[in-house]
Amino acid sequence: MTFGSRSFSPEDLSPEHARQRQTFLRGMFGAGEGSALQSDAEDGGPFNASDEASVPRQNMDLAVFKSYLAFRYKAPVQTAFFSKTISKDPIAISRLQAGPCLTRAVAPEPGFAVIVYLSPIAKMEGWIDGRHVNYPEVNAGDVVLLDLEASPIAHLHQSVDFLRLQISRRTLHDLAYDFGERPPVGLRTILGGVNDPILYGLSRALEAKAAFYGSSDHLFVDQVALAFHAHLVRTYAPSHGPARFVGGLAPWQMQRAREMMLANLSGDIAIADIAQACGLSVSYFARAFRQTVGVPPYKWLMNERIQKAKTLLRQSRLGISEVALACGFVDQSHLTRVFRSSVGRTPRLWRQGADAVAD
C-alpha cells in the first residue's frame, strides 16, 4: 500500500491482538456486519467473521476496547467509557496521551472518530484512503473528525493529550430517528484548525467527572454522550429536519424513574433502561425529565445522594465512610468533595452544626 511518497504495509496483528480486534469489532458493530470484519476475514485472519461467538454490542468488554485502542495508538488508554443508548452500538469515549508515533494501520470500520485535543500539537500528518495529508497546527480545543471507513493513519510528531469519541453510522442514524430528525448522510471530515468550545467543554466535563464523581456514574456519561451526538449532527452533518416537541413526564413515568434511580444511588444504571421502563426513547426521556424537574437525571440523582447523606449524618451515628457507601459514593473522600461543593462544608462540619442545632 503506497501513501504519498512513502510506502507502508499494514502491521500484522499478533494472535492476541487479532482476537481482541475481532471481539472489539463484533462488540462495536455486530458479527458479520461492516467492512472491517469482512476485510479481516478476506485477509486470512485467524477468525471467521461469521463465527457465532460474538459479543453483544451493549455488553462488550471495556477492557478489550482499551487494549485494542492502546495497540492502535501505541499508548495506554487513560480512561474509557461506553454509553448505552437506544442504538445497538455503544458510543465509545476514551482519553489517551500518545506520540510521537505512527498509528497502526487497520481495516475500515463503519463509523467515525471525533478527536478533541486537550493539548496543542504543532506538527502532524497522516494518510486517508492511502492519500497523504498534512494537518494544520492544532490547538487545545480544536477537533479532528475522521471517517473510519477511510482507514486513517496519523503520524504524531510529538506527544499530545486528546479525548476520542467513536460513534458508528448506525448510532448516528438511530439517534437521529430518536430525536425526530432525518438521519444524516455522514459527518464532514475535519483535519483540524476548527475550534469547538462545546466539544471541548463536554470533554473537560467528562475528565472532571472521572475525578470528581467517580468512574461508575452511567447516567452522567449517557447524558454527555447524547450531548456529543446532538452537537455533532447539528454542526458537522448535512441539514436535517426539526426535532419533535417534547412535553414533560407523566406522573407515573416520573415515579418509575425516581424509584429506579433511588434503587441505584451509585448511578450504576443506564439512562436507556430508565427510558425503556417509562416507554420512551432515550433522548425524549432525557429532555422530558429535565423539563419536568428542571435538571438532568444525573444531577437529580446527585442531589438525592446529598439529601440522603444529610439525613444519615443528622439521624444516625454511622461513620462518614459508612454514610458515603450507603449513599452511593465511591468512598469518604468522594462524598467529602461532592458534599463540600454542594453544601459549602465537609460532612463532618455539617454534622457538627446539625448536632448543635438539635441540642
Side-chain angles (χ1 to χ4, degrees):
M1 187 183 300
T2 302
F3 299 147
S5 60
R6 302 171 64 182
S7 295
F8 294 99
S9 296
E11 300 188 41
D12 293 331
L13 302 180
S14 68
E16 176 188 357
H17 281 102
R19 183 179 297 278
Q20 290 177 342
R21 171 174 167 73
Q22 195 80 349
T23 302
F24 162 71
L25 289 170
R26 288 197 184 107
M28 196 73 183
F29 307 115
E33 300 175 7
S35 57
L37 279 171
Q38 307 231 345
S39 177
D40 278 354
E42 291 166 2
D43 289 344
F47 300 97
N48 188 327
S50 63
D51 185 357
E52 295 181 357
S54 61
V55 177
R57 273 163 286 204
Q58 296 290 7
N59 296 319
M60 67 172 294
D61 191 345
L62 186 62
V64 170
F65 171 75
K66 292 174 67 174
S67 179
Y68 166 71
L69 206 58
F71 174 76
R72 184 170 188 167
Y73 281 89
K74 305 178 183 178
V77 178
Q78 305 298 312
T79 55
F81 310 96
F82 282 157
S83 172
K84 181 179 179 182
T85 68
I86 192 173
S87 178
K88 294 181 179 179
D89 303 339
I91 297 176
I93 304 171
S94 52
R95 182 183 175 189
L96 296 93
Q97 294 175 341
C101 74
L102 178 70
T103 62
R104 287 185 167 90
V106 297
E109 299 171 11
F112 300 89
V114 183
I115 301 170
V116 184
Y117 284 86
L118 306 179
S119 67
I121 179 169
K123 186 176 182 183
M124 181 170 57
E125 59 183 319
W127 292 266
I128 299 176
D129 268 335
R131 299 190 308 273
H132 180 267
V133 295
N134 284 309
Y135 290 78
E137 181 176 350
V138 174
N139 298 308
D142 286 358
V143 299
V144 167
L145 202 160
L146 301 169
D147 187 341
L148 296 178
E149 292 276 12
S151 300
I153 300 171
H155 187 185
L156 308 176
H157 290 267
Q158 64 188 78
S159 60
V160 65
D161 188 2
F162 59 90
L163 182 135
R164 181 182 186 274
L165 180 141
Q166 182 161 333
I167 185 169
S168 73
R169 292 181 183 274
R170 184 203 302 269
T171 297
L172 275 180
H173 288 192
D174 288 350
L175 288 178
Y177 279 121
D178 192 40
F179 275 102
E181 301 169 351
R182 290 191 298 271
V185 175
L187 299 175
R188 292 187 289 120
T189 294
I190 305 291
L191 296 181
V194 175
N195 186 268
D196 192 320
I198 295 178
L199 291 184
Y200 183 68
L202 290 172
S203 300
R204 285 302 189 189
L206 271 178
E207 180 187 15
K209 176 264 173 196
F212 191 73
Y213 288 117
S215 59
S216 61
D217 199 332
H218 292 288
L219 281 176
F220 186 95
V221 176
D222 290 346
Q223 286 286 148
V224 173
L226 287 174
F228 265 118
H229 171 269
H231 180 70
L232 286 173
V233 170
R234 284 159 177 73
T235 308
Y236 301 108
S239 60
H240 50 281
R244 294 187 295 263
F245 171 78
V246 177
L249 294 176
W252 72 267
Q253 292 171 322
M254 185 61 213
Q255 179 65 19
R256 181 163 297 180
R258 182 178 182 278
E259 290 172 351
M260 291 181 69
M261 286 191 285
L262 289 179
N264 293 272
L265 277 177
S266 65
D268 190 19
I269 184 172
I271 194 172
D273 294 333
I274 304 173
Q276 183 179 26
C278 293
L280 300 173
S281 66
V282 174
S283 59
Y284 193 104
F285 169 78
R287 288 175 287 165
F289 187 98
R290 182 162 193 163
Q291 182 166 326
T292 302
V293 181
V295 294
Y298 77 86
K299 182 65 174 178
W300 181 89
L301 182 60
M302 189 58 67
N303 291 338
E304 290 297 314
R305 291 177 186 167
I306 293 296
Q307 292 306 314
K308 182 174 180 180
K310 285 182 175 181
T311 299
L312 292 177
L313 288 169
R314 182 173 54 246
Q315 299 179 0
S316 77
R317 292 296 92 190
L318 292 175
I320 304 296
S321 60
E322 295 173 298
V323 171
L325 295 178
C327 296
F329 293 95
V330 175
D331 52 28
Q332 180 174 337
S333 62
H334 183 198
L335 167 62
T336 299
R337 289 196 306 272
V338 178
F339 196 95
R340 181 165 46 199
S341 175
S342 175
V343 180
R345 284 181 289 173
T346 65
R348 190 176 304 281
L349 290 176
W350 188 91
R351 169 179 264 175
Q352 291 172 357
D355 288 343
V357 171
D359 293 340

